[in-house]
């Protein structure tokens, strides 16, 4: 929606960066809190409620000309995102029994949504203006309805009972800290590109808003491919090794996005997206295996706190773009995949637990329901 706020309301780079910041601040602070809560109590009802809340914030964002209200509505959407991720990652881990490939498909669902979003916004807002943003609540309504069978399945599993989970293995807090730093660096480059790649492509292609929409679509579509690819590759070579190579490739890909002129930008956008998303679901399961007694907390940090750091950096990128140029502001992002690569060189590959019966997702036990070994 950023290009349309720029076009319709003449917002500057720093101003639209505030929108990204508003979505990120509450999400980054609140998401680990939800993770701690889901470690203590299973709350599957959060899935439909948080989906609807996230969509409602976006739907209301264009109805008022007030910038303060815009930030409020975007922040509400961020709270919905914060509430959704830890519980959804916990439930997905139970359903997948810890499979890297299955978690890759779980991540792909969100990435497909990201890819479709620019096209949907372009069709609704591009043709009729920001006043029609309430229509953007429809995907959230659909998502909430799709969550209902999940709630029924979890209820049936609770009623049927399940085998007790094995005690969790010891937490590796040092490795989890390094992983979180790598996720934060990845977030800086991805959030920076997602916030500004549309405007950047529009500039590079003769002020074509279509070019900007296509660039954003490619960025998110590559993420869908990368998530599935990461899960498949990890089954053969291991999560840490696959993530390390993906970040190494991303260094050159991001440099191509920033410096290669003309339509050649698009292949580099696709390669960047795939390179940054190959490790995405792998980082979630790595975090859960490094903190097997606190799966919800680990998910809240790797999917929330660390990821949202990128949104906090966006205003800095916007201010630099206003002062110098957008290319100058995006150039430092090349360093972020390099830092991810260095951090992953220091990470061990956790031992893969044996597959077993997944525990009861509704138990109010702080360790057993979230044990890495019990869920595999």
């Amino acid at each position: 929606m950023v290009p349309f706020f720029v076009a319709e309301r003449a917002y500057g780079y720093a101003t639209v960066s505030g929108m990204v910041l508003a979505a990120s601040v509450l999400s980054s602070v609140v998401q680990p809190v939800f993770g701690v809560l889901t470690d203590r109590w299973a709350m599957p009802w959060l899935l439909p409620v948080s989906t609807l809340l996230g969509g409602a914030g976006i739907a209301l964002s264009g109805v008022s000309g007030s910038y303060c209200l815009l930030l409020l509505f975007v922040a509400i959407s961020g709270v919905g995102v914060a509430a959704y991720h830890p519980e959804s990652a916990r439930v997905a881990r139970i359903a997948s029994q810890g499979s890297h490939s299955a978690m890759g498909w779980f991540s792909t669902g969100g990435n497909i949504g990201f890819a479709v979003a620019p096209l949907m916004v372009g069709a609704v807002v591009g043709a009729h203006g920001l006043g029609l943003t309430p229509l953007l609540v429809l995907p959230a309504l659909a998502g909430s309805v799709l969550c209902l069978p999940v709630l029924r399945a979890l209820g049936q599993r609770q009623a049927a009972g399940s085998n007790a989970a094995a005690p969790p293995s010891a937490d590796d807090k040092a490795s989890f800290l390094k992983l979180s730093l790598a996720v934060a660096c990845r977030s800086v480059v991805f959030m920076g590109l997602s916030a500004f790649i549309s405007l950047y492509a529009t500039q590079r292609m003769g002020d074509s808003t279509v070019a900007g929409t296509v660039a954003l679509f490619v960025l998110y579509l590559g993420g869908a491919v990368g998530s599935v690819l990461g899960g498949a590759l990890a089954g053969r070579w291991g999560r840490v090794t696959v993530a390390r190579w993906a970040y190494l490739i991303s260094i050159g890909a991001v440099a191509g996005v920033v410096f290669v002129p003309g339509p050649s930008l698009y292949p580099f956008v696709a390669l960047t997206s795939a390179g940054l998303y190959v490790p995405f679901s792998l980082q979630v399961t790595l975090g859960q295996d490094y903190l097997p007694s606190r799966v919800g907390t680990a998910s809240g940090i790797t999917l929330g706190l660390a990821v949202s750091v990128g949104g906090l950096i966006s205003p800095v990128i916007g201010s630099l773009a206003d002062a110098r140029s957008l290319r100058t502001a995006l150039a430092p992002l090349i360093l972020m995949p390099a830092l991810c690569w260095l951090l992953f060189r220091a990470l061990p590959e956790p031992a893969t637990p044996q597959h077993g019966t997944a525990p009861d997702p509704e138990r109010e036990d702080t360790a057993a329901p979230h044990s890495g070994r019990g869920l595999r």
Side-chain angles (χ1 to χ4, degrees):
M1 294 175 65
V2 167
F4 300 100
F5 279 104
V6 171
E8 192 166 322
R9 299 186 181 174
Y11 288 164
Y13 293 129
T15 303
V16 296
S17 297
M19 295 166 53
V20 181
L21 180 65
S24 301
V25 168
L26 275 178
S27 181
S28 64
V29 172
V30 175
Q31 195 154 169
V33 175
F34 279 106
V36 172
L37 292 175
T38 57
D39 278 333
R40 183 66 182 88
W41 300 285
M43 296 185 287
W45 55 267
L46 275 178
L47 301 183
V49 172
S50 60
T51 300
L52 189 59
L53 183 63
I58 293 299
L60 294 171
S61 63
V63 298
S64 171
S66 168
Y67 184 66
C68 291
L69 284 177
L70 166 63
L71 297 182
L72 174 62
F73 293 141
V74 173
I76 290 173
S77 178
V79 172
V81 172
Y84 176 81
H85 278 137
E87 182 66 3
S88 67
R90 185 189 71 85
V91 172
R93 183 177 174 92
I94 292 171
S96 68
Q97 294 187 327
S99 166
H100 308 325
S101 178
M103 287 297 287
W105 282 105
F106 166 69
S107 299
T108 296
N111 296 330
I112 291 174
F114 274 124
V116 173
L119 304 180
M120 183 177 299
V121 171
V124 175
V125 180
H128 305 288
L130 293 169
L132 286 186
T133 55
L135 291 177
L136 298 179
V137 77
L138 295 178
L141 289 172
S144 297
V145 171
L146 289 172
C147 288
L148 298 180
V150 177
L151 302 187
R152 284 199 300 271
L154 291 176
Q156 291 170 357
R157 177 176 293 190
Q158 180 187 21
S162 61
N163 296 334
S169 55
D171 292 338
D172 185 351
K173 296 180 181 178
S175 293
F176 183 77
L177 176 59
K178 295 173 187 176
L179 173 69
S180 298
L181 291 174
V183 174
C185 292
R186 176 208 173 273
S187 172
V188 169
V189 61
F190 187 80
M191 292 292 287
L193 288 177
S194 63
F196 294 104
I197 190 64
S198 182
L199 295 173
Y200 190 52
T202 298
Q203 288 182 0
R204 299 278 293 276
M205 308 294 177
D207 294 327
S208 169
T209 56
V210 173
T213 299
V214 171
L216 197 59
F217 173 74
V218 172
L219 180 69
Y220 289 132
L221 184 63
V225 175
S227 294
V228 175
L229 185 62
L233 294 176
R236 180 170 183 179
W237 286 292
R239 290 169 289 180
V240 172
T241 299
V242 170
R244 189 184 301 152
W245 278 101
Y247 283 128
L248 189 61
I249 292 171
S250 297
I251 299 171
V254 175
V257 170
V258 176
F259 294 112
V260 173
S264 300
L265 167 79
Y266 293 119
F268 285 101
V269 171
L271 185 60
T272 296
S273 179
L276 293 177
Y277 263 103
V278 161
F280 186 76
S281 64
L282 307 182
Q283 291 169 162
V284 176
T285 60
L286 279 170
Q288 292 172 339
D289 287 343
Y290 289 143
L291 291 184
S293 69
R294 297 178 177 87
V295 169
T297 302
S299 302
I301 293 175
T302 54
L303 283 172
L305 182 60
V307 169
S308 298
V309 168
L312 305 180
I313 299 298
S314 294
V316 178
I317 299 174
S319 297
L320 183 57
D322 281 333
R324 301 291 297 275
S325 71
L326 193 49
R327 173 180 284 183
T328 300
L330 294 178
L333 298 181
I334 300 170
L335 298 175
M336 294 297 105
L339 292 176
C340 293
W341 176 76
L342 289 173
L343 287 164
F344 262 87
R345 285 180 59 84
L347 286 179
E349 179 73 40
T352 303
Q354 298 298 315
H355 290 272
T357 302
D360 183 353
E362 300 298 324
R363 288 180 54 194
E364 294 187 4
D365 185 272
T366 56
H370 307 292
S371 163
R373 296 185 182 278
L375 291 173
R376 295 292 177 128

